[in-house]
Amino acid sequence: MKIDVSSVYQTWINSLSSENTIKKYKSSVTLFCSMVFQKEPETIEQYDLFHLRFSDVLNKFVTSLKQAGVKDATIKGHLIAVRSYIKMINREKIFRDIDYTNLLNYVLTDKSLKTNDVKHHEAISKEELEELKKFLREKRYKNDIDNNFGKKYALLVDFMYKTGIRVNASFHIKWIDFQFVVGNNSERYARLDVIDKGQKLNTKYLRREYYDMLSNLFYRDNDNDFVFDELSQNALREYFKEFSQKINHHLTPHSLRAGAATSLYYQTKDILMVKDFLDHENIATTEKYIHSQKDPSSTGTAILTADYDYSDIDKLSKEQLLMLIHSRPEMESSIYMTARQSKLITR
């Protein structure tokens, strides 16, 4: 059976992993074909690919978009989508005498495009997280019959921070996605299997006490309900805008993920743990999420050039030590985990 370009185009669409990817890739390929060939993606011909040159891609597409103010990273993303479509055309073997290796590696690749021109989300600090939760609890909401929306939004952002799950995926979690397991330490956990970005399965383990807190506030006797179905993604984004203006620091729901990654790294200094927490495929991506600490005393040079006399710690009273420990959340967490590992704390 003879296959035409429109069939290959539909096969390519069906091969993409998620609705979001389909939307982005279709838009990119449509834009490219329009600007370079003056055609729709499903109507391109062998002649178009055979005669395509790097100068066409550079002058008609890359340079035109740059002059329109489009960022390099965005243009590079467009070309990635186009190469994906061309690979499918090659796989289906509908055009002969096309040098696909040259097309993919040289004609449709512009190594001059930068990828560091994208601003990553600001990370929320633990102190700001607590302020945000207080802001949400004290806020007045429409149709809040039980006066619980504040508590629910506060617990939602706490959940997103502590799990690193993105906002869209969080709103698609159902109660049925939780399963109860027992860890090696005999503690009970609620295992959460959630589909996150790129249709990847992401597994999180919540302490049973935390799950119970969620259940007590949100559960309505139906395991097929969405956990956060009473709340709104759009409203949450608006609340972040309001809070950002209040504290003069631009934050978004994704700031919870960046903040959690930063906090976890500085508590553990374990980049692999942070990579697993964020469910990244490579460490380079994880490193972009970890924001530098602003405290000069925490910088490498300050630490290495300091001449500390650690015996001075022995002179502090118990009350002074406890005050210092509880003033730094990351210190609390580090000491608590070390004590558990040393079996000084058993519960």
Side-chain angles (χ1 to χ4, degrees):
M1 185 177 85
K2 188 175 181 181
I3 302 175
D4 59 15
V5 181
S6 61
S7 298
V8 174
Y9 179 74
Q10 189 57 54
T11 300
W12 172 67
I13 294 297
N14 293 338
S15 73
L16 299 176
S17 61
S18 69
E19 290 184 10
N20 189 45
T21 303
I22 291 172
K23 182 179 179 180
K24 288 182 178 179
Y25 274 35
K26 281 180 67 175
S27 175
S28 295
V29 170
T30 300
L31 180 66
F32 179 88
C33 291
S34 174
M35 293 179 69
V36 177
F37 302 129
Q38 291 79 52
K39 293 182 177 180
E40 294 295 319
E42 59 268 44
T43 64
I44 62 172
E45 303 173 47
Q46 179 172 331
Y47 178 90
D48 299 314
L49 297 185
F50 184 83
H51 291 281
L52 184 62
R53 300 290 180 266
F54 176 71
S55 57
D56 298 321
V57 176
L58 181 66
N59 299 327
K60 295 180 180 180
F61 190 70
V62 175
T63 302
S64 296
L65 290 180
K66 280 188 174 184
Q67 290 174 345
V70 179
K71 293 181 178 179
D72 281 17
T74 302
I75 300 173
K76 193 167 186 176
H78 289 323
L79 292 177
I80 289 172
V82 174
R83 290 198 298 272
S84 171
Y85 180 37
I86 299 303
K87 287 177 183 177
M88 183 60 72
I89 293 176
N90 179 27
R91 184 177 300 174
E92 293 298 299
K93 302 185 185 303
I94 61 169
F95 295 148
R96 296 182 179 181
D97 302 322
I98 301 292
D99 185 349
Y100 286 102
T101 300
N102 178 65
L103 201 59
L104 293 168
N105 295 337
Y106 300 101
V107 176
L108 292 169
T109 300
D110 185 352
K111 294 183 179 180
S112 70
L113 293 171
K114 301 174 183 177
T115 57
N116 59 355
D117 60 347
V118 176
K119 291 184 178 179
H120 288 275
H121 295 273
E122 288 287 325
I124 191 171
S125 68
K126 280 195 170 184
E127 292 75 14
E128 288 171 334
L129 175 64
E130 293 306 315
E131 286 184 54
L132 172 60
K133 290 193 289 186
K134 181 181 179 183
F135 169 81
L136 292 169
R137 284 193 296 265
E138 294 177 352
K139 185 177 178 61
R140 305 185 76 173
Y141 302 86
K142 294 180 179 179
N143 303 318
D144 188 8
I145 299 173
D146 296 326
N147 200 30
N148 270 337
F149 277 0
K151 293 178 184 177
K152 290 178 177 180
Y153 275 108
L155 187 52
L156 168 62
V157 298
D158 187 79
F159 171 85
M160 290 171 57
Y161 180 89
K162 290 176 178 174
T163 62
I165 299 174
R166 295 173 178 83
V167 61
N168 187 57
S170 294
F171 274 88
H172 283 85
I173 295 171
K174 293 184 175 182
W175 293 106
I176 201 171
D177 297 327
F178 290 96
Q179 300 291 327
F180 299 113
V181 298
V182 178
N184 294 334
N185 55 5
S186 298
E187 291 194 27
R188 299 176 69 201
Y189 295 89
R191 189 188 75 192
L192 170 61
D193 294 323
V194 58
I195 302 298
D196 210 332
K197 185 178 180 180
Q199 295 297 300
K200 290 189 294 184
L201 179 65
N202 196 346
T203 299
K204 304 291 183 181
Y205 291 91
L206 286 70
R207 291 190 181 276
R208 179 58 191 264
E209 296 81 4
Y210 194 87
Y211 170 86
D212 290 341
M213 185 165 57
L214 281 173
S215 178
N216 290 337
L217 192 57
F218 287 101
Y219 188 67
R220 294 184 296 178
D221 299 320
N222 188 342
D223 285 353
N224 285 309
D225 279 347
F226 292 106
V227 175
F228 303 111
D229 65 347
E230 294 179 85
L231 309 182
S232 163
Q233 280 195 57
N234 291 334
L236 180 65
R237 296 181 193 280
E238 287 301 316
Y239 301 153
F240 264 90
K241 289 180 183 179
E242 292 177 24
F243 181 70
S244 297
Q245 292 174 352
K246 179 180 178 182
I247 67 170
N248 195 29
H249 182 196
H250 180 63
L251 298 172
T252 69
H254 207 75
S255 298
L256 296 167
R257 187 169 156 86
T262 300
S263 179
L264 184 60
Y265 176 73
Y266 281 103
Q267 286 180 37
T268 65
K269 296 297 189 291
D270 187 341
I271 190 69
L272 292 178
M273 178 185 288
V274 180
K275 171 181 170 291
D276 290 342
F277 171 76
L278 295 173
D279 197 38
H280 284 156
E281 293 182 355
N282 61 74
I283 288 179
T285 304
T286 304
E287 289 172 338
K288 295 176 182 178
Y289 274 73
I290 298 172
H291 294 242
S292 300
Q293 297 276 11
K294 296 180 180 180
D295 182 5
S297 66
S298 298
T299 63
T301 300
I303 292 172
L304 292 174
T305 56
D307 184 19
Y308 296 124
D309 183 359
Y310 292 108
S311 65
D312 287 340
I313 295 175
D314 299 334
K315 302 173 186 177
L316 299 176
S317 67
K318 174 184 174 181
E319 289 74 19
Q320 289 172 321
L321 281 170
L322 290 174
M323 179 189 69
L324 291 172
I325 291 170
H326 293 307
S327 70
R328 298 282 295 273
E330 69 276 11
M331 191 183 299
E332 282 183 313
S333 178
S334 178
I335 290 174
Y336 186 87
M337 293 303 297
T338 302
R340 282 181 62 85
Q341 291 168 3
S342 303
K343 300 191 184 306
L344 297 175
I345 296 177
T346 57
R347 64 182 180 84

